[in-house]
Amino acid sequence: MIDSHAHLDDEKFEYDRETLIENLKENGIDFVYNIGANLQSSINSVELARKYENIHAVIGVHPHDADTYNDEVEEKLIELSKDKNVRAIGEIGLDFYYDNSPRDIQREVFKRQIELAHKLQLPIVVHSRDAAGETFEIIKEAKEKYNELVFLIHCYSQSVELMHEYMKLGCYIALGGVVTFKNSKVIKEVAKEVSIDRLLLETDAPYLAPVPMRGKRNEPMFIKHSAQEIANLRGISVEELIKITDENTKRFYND
Ligand code: NI
């Protein structure tokens, strides 16, 4: 099983990071994509990927930290991207729920990093919260400009209709712990209707642990709970689902 999105560099793994990573295999996790959120965590992400064979890195600046982005940060991301373990730019996007960075800066930095991904020929991992329409418009414009760009909407939390629009643009979506929550009716519907060849599994560890671990620190091995829920919703075996989502993950990250 592959976890397409985790933050193992997070301080919540400070005390047991090594043991956790060394035990991934025996807990059923073959591979983890570790996602950066600012320059420092992108550096940490690449360091983890250099150290462990079963981790690859994604680098970029999250909308929360958009106001830290400048030419110097961009130069450093370009340097980092030369490492053979880097697979994508992310997570980048818009977050109008927390508004940790001013919205005009979030928009500008999202667009700049899309240009960066185009220049580096890397796929893009997108974070979007309370900004569904604007995120979609920016991605649609980018696809009109650069048709070969590939986007993954991480922790997809929008409508079924918008999911279909993303499918038309050739995008992927990733679902995690939220799909197991009892009140996540729309996301369960998305899990049923999404094209099976565009669906990825993720944890977003240490955040958003699935039921029955909800509220605890999330870990890559908890991905099995989301996998089981989605398999049940689609009426297929969990083995079949994982085989397909793992293939999708490798295709998205060019692995
Ligand atoms: Ni994340």
Side-chain angles (χ1 to χ4, degrees), residues 33-178:
Y33 290 87
N34 200 78
I35 316 290
N38 52 41
L39 180 61
Q40 189 54 53
S41 78
S42 296
I43 293 169
N44 297 344
S45 212
V46 172
E47 274 173 10
L48 272 182
R50 280 181 186 149
K51 191 168 172 194
Y52 299 101
E53 280 185 329
N54 50 352
I55 297 180
H56 275 158
V58 174
I59 59 170
V61 176
H62 192 286
H64 287 345
D65 285 328
D67 57 2
T68 66
Y69 198 87
N70 54 35
D71 293 344
E72 198 185 322
V73 169
E74 189 163 287
E75 277 312 310
K76 287 187 174 146
L77 289 175
I78 292 170
E79 271 308 303
L80 272 181
S81 76
K82 291 172 185 154
D83 189 286
K84 65 177 171 51
N85 295 292
V86 171
R87 285 296 178 278
I89 295 296
E91 55 184 294
I92 67 173
L94 302 175
D95 194 313
F96 295 169
Y97 178 79
Y98 286 106
D99 279 328
N100 286 352
S101 283
R103 292 184 180 183
D104 54 337
I105 294 177
Q106 290 190 41
R107 292 180 188 106
E108 183 201 325
V109 169
F110 184 24
K111 290 177 188 170
R112 276 188 73 174
Q113 290 182 98
I114 291 173
E115 290 291 331
L116 179 66
H118 171 254
K119 186 168 145 188
L120 300 173
Q121 294 186 292
L122 289 171
I124 298 167
V125 179
V126 176
H127 169 101
S128 177
R129 189 158 181 200
D130 279 11
E134 276 200 54
T135 306
F136 180 76
E137 285 309 317
I138 290 174
I139 291 175
K140 196 173 163 214
E141 263 174 44
K143 287 289 289 182
E144 279 160 10
K145 198 169 168 193
Y146 308 121
N147 185 47
E148 75 280 12
L149 275 181
V150 186
F151 290 87
L152 165 66
I153 318 302
H154 129 76
C155 195
Y156 185 84
S157 57
Q158 293 143 27
S159 69
V160 174
E161 293 74 18
L162 193 62
M163 177 273 290
H164 286 300
E165 294 303 312
Y166 275 121
M167 293 296 109
K168 285 184 204 159
L169 288 183
C171 299
Y172 290 79
I173 68 162
L175 297 177
V178 176

